[in-house]
Amino acid sequence: MFKIKLIASAALAVLIGAAHAAPTFKVDEGVIPGAAANIVTADKITLRYEATINQTQANAAAPTFFTESGFFNASSYGLGNAVLNSQLNGFGAQGYSVYGLFTVSGNISFAGTTALADFLTGSVAFYADVNSNTGKNVTLGATGLSATTRTNTVDDILLGTSDVVLAGSQANVPLVGNQAASGGSFVINYGALDLTDIGAAFFFDPSPFYLRIEVSGENESFNPALTPGNYIGRAEGDASAIFSDVPEPASLALVGAALLGLGLARRRSTKA
């Protein structure tokens, strides 16, 4: 009994630890025009986002649907708790920027002290801004990637896109008086980046690149405060992008076996 329980627990611990360990990736900054040759090994890109939220509900008994669209600016590359030195947003003439346009749609429910959103569809596009001069602004009420208006884009380079949102993409927002002016966390799992030629040279390791982009973070503000029913507002916050592969079927089978082992151990313990 104890042996089964220990083996099952160990299997789960290994898998859970692996799931939370962010894999590393490498970028070759030298492929960006004007940037010096430099390789960065990181496990995340930290981001700052702005978005517009369009929320609709046909009647009080109907489900509430939403579309959130906006942009993010990359702040830095990170490895563990360290912020890495790079040419991102720096080095004067050798500096460059990375930004993205995104959209997600789904449904949201308001119950008690929590608003829970499920992201079901969406897309994301990553760009390199060679001269770090692209202006971006979200248009309140607009949807899709066109919700973000841009200026000075002639030097921008498309790195890659994804138009798939994977299962497990959600947001959880605490409510005060059935509304939220700030707070809450989110995770959006996009499918694999369809990299352009220069995108594949930039995100060059691993090759082929990872199959999933996990964008997770915290909401800093909703303006006006997020409320049930029809709503149009603006959201801002911080996030990070982590790249990884979808769990292999063998790993999922091992999780199932581990859970079964724990269940058997618990049943034997109860009978004893």
Side-chain angles (χ1 to χ4, degrees):
M1 174 182 69
F2 291 109
K3 186 175 182 180
I4 293 176
K5 191 170 183 177
L6 286 171
I7 292 173
S9 298
L12 278 177
V14 169
L15 289 169
I16 291 172
H20 286 81
T24 59
F25 60 92
K26 294 181 180 180
V27 299
D28 182 354
E29 296 188 300
V31 305
I32 305 299
N38 186 50
I39 304 299
V40 178
T41 301
D43 62 10
K44 69 177 71 66
I45 304 175
T46 59
L47 313 169
R48 175 76 181 173
Y49 86 90
E50 296 183 26
T52 179
I53 300 173
N54 291 264
Q55 187 175 286
T56 59
Q57 184 180 29
N59 56 67
T64 303
F65 301 100
F66 72 91
T67 295
E68 182 173 357
S69 310
F71 68 90
F72 57 79
N73 291 317
S75 305
S76 63
Y77 300 112
L79 183 62
N81 295 323
V83 175
L84 300 177
N85 292 323
S86 72
Q87 297 168 81
L88 180 65
N89 303 323
F91 280 46
Q94 293 180 334
Y96 67 95
S97 299
V98 171
Y99 72 89
L101 305 181
F102 73 92
T103 180
V104 282
S105 299
N107 53 64
I108 185 170
S109 61
F110 292 77
T113 59
T114 303
L116 180 63
D118 288 306
F119 302 116
L120 304 176
T121 61
S123 61
V124 65
F126 283 78
Y127 293 85
D129 179 6
V130 174
N131 295 317
S132 301
N133 62 348
T134 299
K136 297 171 285 292
N137 186 55
V138 292
T139 305
L140 210 58
T143 60
L145 298 183
S146 61
T148 300
T149 57
R150 297 179 291 164
T151 58
N152 299 323
T153 61
V154 67
D155 61 314
D156 293 359
I157 301 170
L158 178 64
L159 299 175
T161 62
S162 175
D163 59 3
V164 175
V165 172
L166 303 174
S169 300
Q170 291 185 320
N172 189 312
V173 180
L175 301 174
V176 179
N178 209 32
Q179 65 179 20
S182 63
S185 59
F186 62 88
V187 58
I188 307 170
N189 294 306
Y190 289 103
L193 272 179
D194 182 11
L195 294 170
T196 62
D197 288 344
I198 194 168
F202 183 73
F203 291 110
F204 75 95
D205 186 72
S207 180
F209 204 61
Y210 292 115
L211 300 176
R212 182 175 64 182
I213 315 160
E214 179 185 298
V215 180
S216 60
E218 302 289 330
N219 304 305
E220 182 179 282
S221 65
F222 298 101
N223 186 22
L226 181 67
T227 56
N230 296 326
Y231 169 87
I232 294 178
R234 185 184 183 103
E236 298 182 16
D238 297 307
S240 62
I242 293 172
F243 304 96
S244 65
D245 284 327
V246 175
E248 296 293 330
S251 296
L252 295 176
L254 185 54
V255 170
L259 290 173
L260 177 61
L262 284 174
L264 289 172
R266 181 172 295 178
R267 289 180 61 185
R268 292 183 182 183
S269 176
T270 302
K271 289 181 179 180

